[in-house]
Amino acid sequence: MKYIIVLGDGMADEPIADLGGKTPLQVAKTPSMDYLAKNGKTGTLVTVPEGFHPGSEIANLSVLGYDVAKVFEGRGSLEAASMGIDIEANEMAMRCNLICIEDEKIKNHSAGHISNEEATELISFLQKNLGNDVVSFYPGISYRHLLKIKNADKRVSCTPPHDVPGVAYKDVLVKPQVEDATYTSDLINNLILKSQELLSSHPINIKRVSEGKDPANSIWPWSPGYKPSMQTMSELYGIKKGVVISAVDLIRGIGVYAGLQPIIVDGATGLYDTNYEGKVDAAIKALRDDVDFVFLHIEASDEAGHEGDVALKIKTIEYLDSRVLRPLIEALDTIDDDVTIAVLPDHPTPCRIRTHTSQPVPFVIYNKGIKADAVEHFDEKSALNGLFGEIAGDELIKKMIVKH
């Protein structure tokens, strides 16, 4: 048996009045998801343990069957693994967004989805002007970058920028959780303020403003942590060889620690214009070869949710259905083994509030031998009637790989 998880990041939502009280998943045309629901078994999954923030790092670790309380060490350290950057014993890593601030408020978490080329130049500029023996900046993809600080204390409260659009940035600066962390919080806040001084007059931002684009006029570090210690999925679940396919450093980094080989797909952007066909082709090729587990991650719906764009979110769901799931289902007969497919979001990203929530998400598990339930559509409401009921954490992987 081979296995593939197709994860539509942030795909779940809440009822929307303009959609007649339905969610984007309920409104979207999803014949492939509905086929899997009709012929598979469904339920809902709690991906965010009580007491944890509903970030993608938490939810995706849960989906892959990890005990978050034991292994989670911040988002930055996970992304560093994807970037090939080692975290030393005396270093703390943080995700470092390039964001847009307007009228002293956080306008968006992505600097208007700045391009890789522009962002790399800005991060390199900050490294030259703010980097030193203690502080180091590393360029990532679009607005997502890495900050490392030596001899820092992770006991600081940081606010993810996608959680607070429209909020005054000074109200959500870093705060120490204990007195010993005051030095760290002061250092990070000072970097934020200095970055604003430097970035506001950078030629790239002057050009972006002249073109009507949002400037990347501040950094925003968050999710601090040290180097994690994780067992691989082979050690935990007997996966012989697995791969991870994603445009997002965080997901690839989780995959690295989980023992999954990252597959880089040209044109994978993490947005609605990502290379859907390239990603599913890579997944199918892996399953045809000697790979027995694929984690295929699609970010687009999450970004649409963060933008509050309902129409775009529906489009991204339909793209995942028609451009990823349909060719995957059609390819099953060309793979020399039975394949179990699981489809789910990692968390909801409701368009109304433009950030993540902790509500359980719908999921479906399908293979040729599974006993189907009576659910005929894949969405948040229909999954409540699934035979799996509500499960949590590592139960998805265990039900998918061990028994049905």
Side-chain angles (χ1 to χ4, degrees):
M1 181 70 73
K2 297 192 174 191
Y3 307 92
I4 180 169
I5 294 177
V6 180
L7 192 134
D9 201 303
M11 191 164 55
D13 211 299
E14 61 185 23
I16 297 172
D18 288 348
L19 298 180
K22 294 183 178 181
T23 68
L25 258 178
Q26 289 177 295
V27 170
K29 296 179 177 63
T30 55
S32 300
M33 292 186 207
D34 293 344
Y35 171 85
L36 295 175
K38 290 176 184 177
N39 295 279
K41 191 183 294 186
T42 60
T44 60
L45 177 69
V46 178
T47 61
V48 182
E50 187 174 352
F52 282 89
H53 184 272
S56 290
E57 64 279 12
I58 301 299
N60 281 276
L61 281 167
S62 290
V63 168
L64 288 174
Y66 285 94
D67 185 335
V68 175
K70 291 182 179 179
V71 304
F72 182 59
E73 271 291 350
R75 187 163 180 148
S77 57
L78 294 170
E79 296 185 354
S82 169
M83 299 164 71
I85 300 167
D86 194 26
I87 307 298
E88 302 294 339
N90 66 336
E91 292 180 324
M92 181 180 80
M94 305 182 74
R95 156 69 84 83
C96 185
N97 280 44
L98 283 173
I99 69 170
C100 178
I101 292 178
E102 186 174 81
D103 298 328
E104 302 292 301
K105 296 178 180 179
I106 296 176
K107 182 178 182 182
N108 59 56
H109 67 289
S110 63
H113 293 294
I114 188 168
S115 71
N116 293 345
E117 294 76 17
E118 292 171 310
T120 296
E121 183 173 338
L122 291 178
I123 292 297
S124 299
F125 171 71
L126 291 176
Q127 173 60 21
K128 181 178 179 181
N129 287 274
L130 297 179
N132 51 45
D133 292 340
V134 175
V135 172
S136 300
F137 294 88
Y138 298 86
I141 296 174
S142 184
Y143 61 87
R144 312 176 186 97
H145 308 283
L146 182 72
L147 170 64
K148 287 203 304 183
I149 305 175
K150 291 183 178 179
N151 302 314
D153 193 318
K154 73 172 185 178
R155 294 173 295 177
V156 291
S157 295
C158 304
T159 302
H162 53 259
D163 281 357
V164 285
V167 173
Y169 81 88
K170 290 181 180 178
D171 292 344
V172 285
L173 288 170
V174 181
K175 297 177 178 61
Q177 296 173 348
V178 296
E179 187 175 349
D180 287 348
T182 300
Y183 165 79
T184 298
S185 63
D186 287 347
L187 173 60
I188 298 169
N189 288 333
N190 190 45
L191 289 172
I192 291 173
L193 297 177
K194 285 185 175 179
S195 78
Q196 293 175 8
E197 296 175 7
L198 291 166
L199 292 173
S200 62
S201 58
H202 193 280
I204 282 179
N205 280 325
I206 292 173
K207 184 172 185 290
R208 286 181 65 84
V209 171
S210 71
E211 294 173 345
K213 299 177 181 177
D214 290 334
N217 54 12
S218 181
I219 60 166
W220 199 264
W222 56 286
S223 197
Y226 311 130
K227 187 172 184 175
S229 177
M230 288 171 53
Q231 290 181 282
T232 65
M233 292 190 71
S234 176
E235 293 168 328
L236 288 172
Y237 302 109
I239 298 296
K240 294 178 182 178
K241 184 176 181 181
V243 300
V244 56
I245 303 170
S246 176
V248 179
D249 277 325
L250 166 68
I251 305 302
R252 291 203 295 260
I254 290 174
V256 168
Y257 280 113
L260 307 179
Q261 177 67 39
I263 294 179
I264 308 302
V265 175
D266 289 341
T269 65
L271 301 175
Y272 76 94
D273 62 352
T274 196
N275 184 2
Y276 296 90
E277 289 78 12
K279 296 177 86 169
V280 73
D281 286 349
I284 293 168
K285 182 179 185 302
L287 291 170
R288 285 174 177 158
D289 294 337
D290 59 347
V291 170
D292 59 347
F293 179 84
V294 175
F295 187 53
L296 175 55
H297 173 269
I298 310 288
E299 174 77 2
S301 295
D302 185 60
E303 292 295 342
H306 285 309
E307 296 297 324
D309 192 330
V310 175
L312 181 60
K313 188 165 189 179
I314 293 170
K315 179 184 290 187
T316 62
I317 292 169
E318 292 179 342
Y319 280 172
L320 186 149
D321 190 87
S322 63
R323 299 169 67 180
V324 174
L325 289 177
R326 184 171 67 188
L328 174 61
I329 293 168
E330 290 173 349
L332 290 180
D333 289 338
T334 70
I335 297 167
D336 293 332
D337 204 343
D338 289 337
V339 179
T340 294
I341 302 173
V343 178
L344 74 162
D346 51 349
H347 51 67
T349 307
C351 292
R352 179 182 63 85
I353 59 174
R354 297 174 57 189
T355 191
H356 306 166
T357 64
S358 302
Q359 277 72 33
V361 297
F363 73 91
V364 60
I365 294 177
Y366 164 87
N367 65 40
K368 290 182 179 178
I370 202 167
K371 183 179 179 181
D373 56 27
V375 174
E376 295 192 348
H377 302 284
F378 183 78
D379 58 67
E380 302 88 345
K381 184 176 180 181
S382 297
L384 296 174
N385 298 314
L387 283 179
F388 279 125
E390 181 177 290
I391 61 175
D394 63 2
E395 292 181 79
L396 176 78
I397 282 288
K398 289 179 177 178
K399 291 183 182 298
M400 181 182 180
I401 292 179
V402 179
K403 59 183 179 180
H404 306 293

